[in-house]
Amino acid sequence: MLDDGRALEVVGISAFDERVYRGVLACPGITVQELVMRSGESPGRVQSSLTRLRARGLVSRLWGRSPRWTATNPGTAIRSLVRGLQSELDRLTDTADELEAAFRTVGQNPEEGGQFEVLAGPEEQARWYVRLQQEAKEEVLTFDRPPYVLDYHNPLQTGLLNKGVRYRTIYTPEAFDHAGAFDEVGNLIKAGEEARILPRLPFKMALVDRRRAVMPLHMDPPLTRGVLIRGSTMVVALVELFERLWREALPVRPGLWQEPGALETAGEERDASEPSSVGTEDRRLLALLAAGLKDDAIARQLGTSPRSLRRRLRHLLDELNAETRFQAGAQANRRGLV
């Protein structure tokens, strides 16, 4: 008997039946007794296997005084099994479509109090995220954290802000890990976005006009499954959660993203006790620290190296008469620097 094989399991041939088939294929005209001797299996089990293989078109019985077995053309026989499997898969796909239609029908029943629609794949989640924004009339509430199904840049938001749609976004520090993220958010704040930061968020979501929400069903990348929620008590609960976390979050000050000197030229008064060397860029560094970003992420936002950042931070701690980052944050908050 040839070595064990499992290549044909995908078309419904067991590992044992495949071994018997390979034995017949290797020795055309082989008898049951010879197969028994080679396999060490009982005659009944070998005979049952041959019967199954014959029904699947893989072997045929030769006529004669002593029954012998031979394999049919493998290419023809196996391709026939593949076509049968494909036909079954097509029927299964049709069944899935029918069940999905039933699922959508139940979900759209107004007596059910809302609709939950599963979104398969990141493309479908991204499509609904864009569509909900396009249909927004009053407000978009967002939990912003990785991973993402779209690029962090949101080309729709500025136009909708100009039309009077209110955007409130809670970010996590990880949302600013990629270069240019703070500049992008700074532009959105200047356009009217209200932004706050929390050290962590339980999940990500976009909630539009307090009636519809889209969110992933898991947070492990890639985001393969999401859910669209319409007009249910779940939407009410999500709004309540957003408002509670919004109150806890740290506001992001627009001045963080202004050019050096812009704070002073805009008329902001400096604290008399503020060291003269603590300028806008140092304020930005302090705010990034307060937001919870790590050194590598801060260095990317400031366009410098982690080593240069650490030297700059050490100088800033000296200027603020602080020994630790926490003390520096407390001093910066007292002086109104962040």
Side-chain angles (χ1 to χ4, degrees):
M1 188 72 69
L2 297 178
D3 293 340
D4 292 355
R6 307 181 73 90
L8 299 182
E9 281 188 334
V10 70
V11 290
I13 306 300
S14 70
F16 176 75
D17 287 353
E18 182 173 344
R19 292 199 301 272
V20 172
Y21 171 67
R22 289 176 179 271
V24 175
L25 185 64
C27 300
I30 195 170
T31 66
V32 173
Q33 290 75 16
E34 290 171 332
L35 286 169
V36 169
M37 292 177 59
R38 295 188 179 197
S39 66
E41 299 288 344
S42 66
R45 189 180 184 197
V46 172
Q47 184 62 59
S48 296
S49 176
L50 290 169
T51 300
R52 290 191 296 270
L53 292 169
R54 185 182 186 185
R56 303 300 298 274
L58 289 170
V59 300
S60 59
R61 179 178 173 180
L62 300 176
W63 294 103
R65 296 178 59 182
S66 179
R68 295 178 178 274
W69 295 85
T70 187
T72 59
N73 185 304
T76 302
I78 294 175
R79 289 189 182 93
S80 177
L81 294 177
V82 171
R83 287 193 295 271
L85 177 62
Q86 183 60 55
S87 178
E88 293 180 7
L89 292 175
D90 290 341
R91 287 196 296 272
L92 181 60
T93 300
D94 293 339
T95 301
D97 292 340
E98 294 173 3
L99 294 175
E100 182 179 17
F103 172 80
R104 293 177 183 270
T105 299
V106 171
Q108 291 172 351
N109 186 346
E111 296 180 358
E112 296 294 325
Q115 178 184 6
F116 295 79
E117 180 177 343
V118 175
L119 308 177
E123 296 81 6
E124 186 72 359
Q125 295 175 65
R127 185 177 69 83
W128 271 105
Y129 174 62
V130 171
R131 175 176 172 179
L132 290 185
Q133 288 186 92
Q134 291 172 330
E135 296 175 355
K137 303 298 183 183
E138 298 177 1
E139 184 179 48
V140 178
L141 309 177
T142 305
F143 286 164
D144 191 311
R145 53 160 291 187
Y148 297 100
V149 296
L150 291 173
D151 183 76
Y152 70 87
H153 177 68
N154 185 356
L156 296 174
Q157 186 169 337
T158 300
L160 289 168
L161 284 167
N162 292 334
K163 292 180 180 179
V165 177
R166 185 185 186 191
Y167 270 80
R168 286 193 288 157
T169 304
I170 302 177
Y171 296 92
T172 63
E174 293 77 17
F176 303 102
D177 277 350
H178 49 273
F182 264 104
D183 292 331
E184 175 69 19
V185 174
N187 291 332
L188 292 176
I189 291 175
K190 293 175 184 177
E193 178 186 83
E194 300 167 59
R196 297 191 178 186
I197 296 179
L198 275 179
R200 63 187 62 86
L201 289 170
F203 48 81
K204 60 187 300 166
M205 73 166 183
L207 202 158
V208 175
D209 293 338
R210 304 188 175 222
R211 295 186 300 107
R212 294 184 295 175
V214 61
M215 57 190 295
L217 287 175
H218 62 85
M219 294 305 298
D220 298 321
L223 301 178
T224 56
R225 293 173 67 81
V227 63
L228 173 69
I229 309 172
R230 292 189 179 96
S232 70
T233 54
M234 179 62 73
V235 173
V236 176
L238 290 174
V239 172
E240 290 296 324
L241 176 62
F242 180 91
E243 295 295 353
R244 180 173 65 82
L245 294 182
W246 180 259
R247 291 190 293 269
E248 297 176 3
L250 175 70
V252 177
R253 298 180 62 198
L256 253 170
W257 290 273
Q258 291 177 313
E259 296 297 327
L263 292 173
E264 288 76 19
T265 58
E268 180 177 325
E269 297 182 1
R270 290 172 60 112
D271 192 308
S273 63
E274 177 187 336
S276 59
S277 59
V278 180
T280 303
E281 286 300 308
D282 287 328
R283 296 183 183 200
R284 187 176 186 182
L285 170 56
L286 288 168
L288 297 176
L289 289 173
L293 271 70
K294 298 180 180 179
D295 286 357
D296 288 347
I298 294 175
R300 282 194 294 272
Q301 300 305 321
L302 299 181
T304 187
S305 68
R307 184 176 179 180
S308 297
L309 174 69
R310 286 189 287 270
R311 288 199 303 266
R312 182 172 171 185
L313 179 58
R314 182 68 260 172
H315 174 74
L316 187 57
L317 292 177
D318 292 340
E319 289 289 337
L320 294 172
N321 194 25
E323 293 294 331
T324 66
R325 292 186 179 198
F326 177 79
Q327 292 176 357
Q331 288 280 12
N333 183 65
R334 182 178 64 83
R335 301 181 185 187
L337 300 179
V338 296

